[in-house]
Amino acid sequence: MNTPSLIQGRCTLVGAGPGDPELLTLKAVKAIQAATVLLVDDLVNDEILQWARPEARIVHVGKRGGCKSTPQSFIEKLMITAVREGETVVRLKGGDPFIFGRGGEEVEHLREAGIECGVINGITAGLAAVTALGVPLTHRDRAQGVVFVTGHAKTGAAARHEPTDWRALAATARDARLTLVIYMGVAGVDAIQQQLQDGGLPADTPVAVVQQASLPGQRQVTSTLANLATDLRAAGLGSPAVIVVGDVLRGMAAAQQDAARFGT
Ligand code: SAH
């Protein structure tokens, strides 16, 4: 009879939220406090490490500081080894672990190695971004739903699917009245803008870009689809940023008008 290998330690994927440490969940803080090994992704605010034990081993696995990011397979091997050595491993990921950022892949690979990983949600950047602008993601009069989409799909030989069909997405967003929240889209903004317009989203569709949502360095620019790339460049915004497209942003103008009217 095969004896299943004994897993001593444990592993949790923890959403570190968009940046503001106060947006962490209580569960996230408790997991950080309990960790003996922390693997910290790019875009995680280091301030949250204040809750880590002094003796915890902290490994930064992101691109910050100009270093090349650690290969995904190496990170997963590190996690598996640490768990087998009996460590309490916390993998800190920006935003929510299950919205981009490869959380799903990590959970699958650990499961294949016989390790069941816990997951603690975090506030995803797209949600923090619209909140920073004072508008919702959905609104009964303006958007019936929301699409979180990556502007940087896996490409080349490793890709199992065609890249995002922005034209189809534009038509659906227009007809079904959906807010588009585009992650990792700044580098490809010209093509995204063009294809969304080609797909039938009107040129005057409101657009906003929010960089470093929830952090002291937060910056944003509002525009229309037709002027998105030009206005983004003029404002000098770069990564990390999310692009929000849709009529929910019309609420921003209303909020500003109210503020002007009421002198607040
Ligand atoms: N799991 C993360 C997303 C990881 S992908 C989440 O749920 O938020 C990385 C992308 O997220 C960045 O390229 C950027 O588009 C976005 N992002 C992450 N943090 C951000 C922030 N504070 N402000 C704006 N965009 C952010």
Side-chain angles (χ1 to χ4, degrees):
M1 199 177 85
N2 281 340
T3 321
S5 57
L6 204 62
I7 303 301
Q8 314 238 323
R10 47 183 317 234
C11 154
T12 315
L13 255 61
V14 175
D20 179 351
E22 295 203 354
L23 290 177
L24 276 178
T25 63
L26 286 175
K27 270 189 193 250
V29 172
K30 284 183 189 167
I32 295 167
Q33 285 171 333
T36 57
V37 174
L38 291 117
L39 299 173
V40 186
D41 233 348
D42 228 7
L43 295 182
V44 169
N45 186 351
D46 272 354
E47 278 180 45
I48 71 172
L49 297 174
Q50 64 184 282
W51 287 291
R53 298 179 189 196
E55 69 276 18
R57 197 173 133 216
I58 296 172
V59 189
H60 282 94
V61 291
K63 286 179 222 161
R64 236 174 340 198
C67 302
K68 268 187 76 184
S69 68
T70 318
Q72 187 65 20
S73 56
F74 181 77
I75 298 171
E76 285 161 9
K77 268 191 206 134
L78 254 176
M79 289 165 79
I80 292 166
T81 310
V83 172
R84 290 195 173 139
E85 284 170 359
E87 305 284 1
T88 303
V89 180
V90 157
R91 172 86 168 100
L92 279 169
K93 301 182 84 71
D96 186 275
F98 276 177
I99 298 193
F100 308 121
R102 303 187 176 187
E105 292 170 41
E106 280 174 24
V107 167
E108 281 170 28
H109 291 156
L110 270 100
R111 201 169 282 155
E112 279 161 22
I115 298 167
E116 199 54 46
C117 220
V119 178
I120 296 174
N121 291 122
I123 294 180
T124 190
L127 184 53
V130 289
T131 305
L133 298 170
V135 296
L137 280 175
T138 65
H139 186 293
R140 283 199 298 171
D141 299 329
R142 299 190 181 115
Q144 266 54 66
V146 53
V147 177
F148 293 124
V149 58
T150 172
H152 183 80
K154 204 170 177 183
T155 51
R160 280 184 224 145
H161 304 282
E162 292 297 311
T164 310
D165 186 341
W166 294 100
R167 289 183 186 83
L169 195 57
T172 309
R174 182 197 56 204
D175 297 344
R177 306 211 306 152
L178 306 174
T179 307
L180 298 181
V181 182
I182 306 166
Y183 291 63
M184 298 170 272
V186 171
V189 69
D190 295 275
I192 292 171
Q193 172 187 331
Q194 186 60 52
Q195 290 170 48
L196 287 177
Q197 284 191 254
D198 293 349
L201 261 187
D204 66 349
T205 306
V207 173
V209 182
V210 184
Q211 180 184 340
Q212 293 207 304
S214 88
L215 284 160
Q218 178 184 303
R219 292 181 64 207
Q220 64 251 4
V221 62
T222 50
S223 181
T224 56
L225 187 55
N227 297 318
L228 168 61
T230 312
D231 287 349
L232 182 60
R233 269 192 281 275
L237 261 62
S239 284
V242 287
I243 303 170
V244 183
V245 182
D247 282 339
V248 282
L249 293 164
R250 295 194 191 279
M252 255 186 95
Q256 279 158 5
Q257 280 160 15
D258 281 352
R261 200 178 319 132
F262 298 124
T264 48

